[in-house]
């Protein structure tokens, strides 16, 4: 399951997010989180509808994971005028020597005030795990119908 945040849509129009110059991060949602993360999640760490607000459902620090998540690298932006779609994707995130059980992740803008959320991803098949191995979040290839974030 992949959901673009409702606030992200408005923030795009307000100029809050710049995928060419801002730092975006991926934070893991722990196994069996208390709260529900959906299109109404607003932020990584600001307010009761954030990942760390309320019940703090971020995966615990340590064992290959760092609080606040991993910086997303390899941002690829494109405009496909044939299909009328702008899209963005990132390099895969690989956490080595990791012991992790996570149900999903949130992508957020670490450069903007209040670390606004971009999207939430629930991992296919439920909880994904690694036991002192490499925990990888794989992003789809760049394309008008495949990129992780698409606007048409």
């Amino acid at each position: 399951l992949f959901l673009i945040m409702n606030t992200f849509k408005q923030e795009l129009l307000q100029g809050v997010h710049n995928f060419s110059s801002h730092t975006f991060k991926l934070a893991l949602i722990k196994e069996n989180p208390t709260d529900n993360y959906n299109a109404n999640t607003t932020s990584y760490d600001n307010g009761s509808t954030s990942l760390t607000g309320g019940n703090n459902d971020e995966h615990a620090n340590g064992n290959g994971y760092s609080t606040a998540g991993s910086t997303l690298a390899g941002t690829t932006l494109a405009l496909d005028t044939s299909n009328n779609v702008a899209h963005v994707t990132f390099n895969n995130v690989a956490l080595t020597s990791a012991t992790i059980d996570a149900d999903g992740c949130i992508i957020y803008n670490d450069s903007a005030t209040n670390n606004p959320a971009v999207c939430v991803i629930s991992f296919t098949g439920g909880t994904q795990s690694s036991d002192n191995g490499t925990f990888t979040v794989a992003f789809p290839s760049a394309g008008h119908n495949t990129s992780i974030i698409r606007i048409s």
Side-chain angles (χ1 to χ4, degrees):
L1 175 67
F2 168 82
L3 294 169
I4 293 282
M5 304 309 182
N6 289 326
T7 51
F8 173 73
K9 298 169 192 174
Q10 180 181 20
E11 291 161 352
L12 278 177
L13 299 175
Q14 295 169 330
V16 171
H17 302 279
N18 184 332
F19 285 90
S20 294
S21 64
H22 287 176
T23 299
F24 290 84
K25 288 191 165 187
L26 180 144
L28 293 176
I29 299 170
K30 70 182 182 182
E31 181 180 23
N32 298 318
T34 303
D35 293 327
N36 292 316
Y37 298 94
N38 54 43
N40 294 317
T41 302
T42 57
S43 170
Y44 162 70
D45 63 354
N46 185 52
S48 62
T49 59
S50 70
L51 180 61
T52 63
N55 292 300
N56 192 2
D57 285 326
E58 181 175 13
H59 191 281
N61 190 58
N63 295 318
Y65 181 75
S66 297
T67 301
S70 300
T71 298
L72 293 172
T75 303
T76 302
L77 299 168
L79 176 62
D80 183 330
T81 56
S82 297
N83 294 289
N84 301 315
V85 178
H87 53 93
V88 62
T89 194
F90 308 97
N91 290 346
N92 295 342
V93 173
L95 306 172
T96 58
S97 301
T99 299
I100 292 174
D101 295 302
D103 282 4
C105 62
I106 183 172
I107 294 175
Y108 70 96
N109 186 341
D110 191 46
S111 298
T113 302
N114 296 326
N115 297 320
V118 173
C119 62
V120 65
I121 301 165
S122 293
F123 295 143
T124 303
T127 302
Q128 299 298 305
S129 303
S130 65
D131 185 14
N132 197 27
T134 300
F135 187 93
T136 302
V137 178
F139 288 103
S141 60
H144 76 277
N145 60 353
T146 54
S147 288
I148 191 70
I149 300 169
R150 301 180 301 272
I151 301 170
S152 56

